[in-house]
Amino acid sequence: MRINLERTRLLLCDDNEQALSVESAMFRGFGMHRQYKASNAKEAMGIVTSREVDLIVMDCGMPDMDGYDFVKWLRTQGPGDAAYIPAILMTGHAARSLVEKSRDCGANFVISKPFTPQVLLQRVFWVAKDERQFVRTAGYVGPDRRVRNLGPPPGKKGRRSTDLSLKVGAAKDPNMEQYEIDSLMKPQKVIL
């Protein structure tokens, strides 16, 4: 797949200055020279409200407001069409529960740190060719999460005989490998 990223307006947000610099260099290497950088979610909110942005790439674990809460804000309270801006979250702690939290806050994809430029570019391609419908409900706003049948939402009774049990396992999960994260986040055809 070939994509010209030269005109893409990127919002890159990471509270680690060194990581932000490295991530910015990777995107410049992809041809994305129109970059807005923020060191926290409050700065990112200001950029989204005052500028046009085509893609948001943000660290999950930041003080005050984390990436999950930022994406929820973006999807539910962001200005104008900002709710539809694709958002990729980056995390250094890829426990299954946190990957699911990324998906459930409305993020398009999640990347486990550290990552290679190849993985990052591949996720940008995934966002570019993502065909999932955008969903707006009382409890969720974002790309359609139905990539696998993991049972009904928490607190809801299942509607299908194949729905999984609501019983919760261990409190903490080990970190997931990137290929495991991809299997949770990558869009798949849904047959209804």
Side-chain angles (χ1 to χ4, degrees):
M1 181 174 188
R2 292 181 62 142
I3 297 177
N4 184 346
L5 301 171
E6 186 177 332
R7 294 185 181 189
T8 303
R9 294 165 296 214
L10 170 69
L11 169 55
L12 189 56
C13 184
D14 198 318
D15 62 326
N16 181 315
E17 190 176 324
Q18 185 178 16
L20 185 63
S21 177
V22 169
E23 294 153 5
S24 175
M26 285 184 192
F27 281 107
R28 278 194 311 274
F30 304 153
M32 287 188 195
H33 297 285
R34 294 176 167 185
Q35 297 182 11
Y36 305 111
K37 297 178 202 163
S39 60
N40 60 58
K42 187 174 180 179
E43 285 179 29
M45 290 169 82
I47 292 169
V48 168
T49 56
S50 65
R51 302 217 161 93
E52 288 188 37
V53 175
D54 300 311
L55 175 65
I56 297 171
V57 180
M58 175 175 278
D59 186 47
C60 290
M62 293 185 292
D64 299 325
M65 180 185 220
D66 61 24
Y68 311 110
D69 289 336
F70 174 85
V71 173
K72 282 183 188 176
W73 168 84
L74 178 73
R75 300 293 186 227
T76 60
Q77 300 171 27
D81 290 336
Y84 302 101
I85 299 171
I88 298 173
L89 291 179
M90 304 175 290
T91 182
H93 307 286
R96 182 181 190 94
S97 60
L98 294 177
V99 172
E100 290 172 351
K101 186 175 180 179
S102 298
R103 177 198 63 207
D104 294 343
C105 76
N108 293 74
F109 294 103
V110 64
I111 299 175
S112 177
K113 287 182 175 182
F115 50 82
T116 65
Q118 180 182 3
V119 167
L120 184 59
L121 184 58
Q122 184 181 44
R123 296 322 173 271
V124 171
F125 283 171
W126 286 4
V127 165
K129 62 183 183 177
D130 190 0
E131 295 179 359
R132 290 181 289 172
Q133 295 292 317
F134 201 82
V135 176
R136 258 189 204 282
T137 67
Y140 174 76
V141 180
D144 193 340
R145 298 177 291 184
R146 294 176 297 179
V147 294
R148 304 172 37 166
N149 181 13
L150 296 175
K156 302 288 182 188
K157 184 178 179 190
R159 297 181 295 146
R160 298 175 189 93
S161 63
T162 58
D163 283 342
L164 303 176
S165 169
L166 291 176
K167 292 181 183 177
V168 178
K172 293 190 178 190
D173 296 327
N175 280 346
M176 297 174 72
E177 296 294 327
Q178 187 65 50
Y179 73 90
E180 294 170 312
I181 295 169
D182 294 346
S183 71
L184 268 179
M185 300 294 292
K186 187 174 181 182
Q188 299 172 6
K189 296 291 182 187
V190 176
I191 300 173
L192 300 175

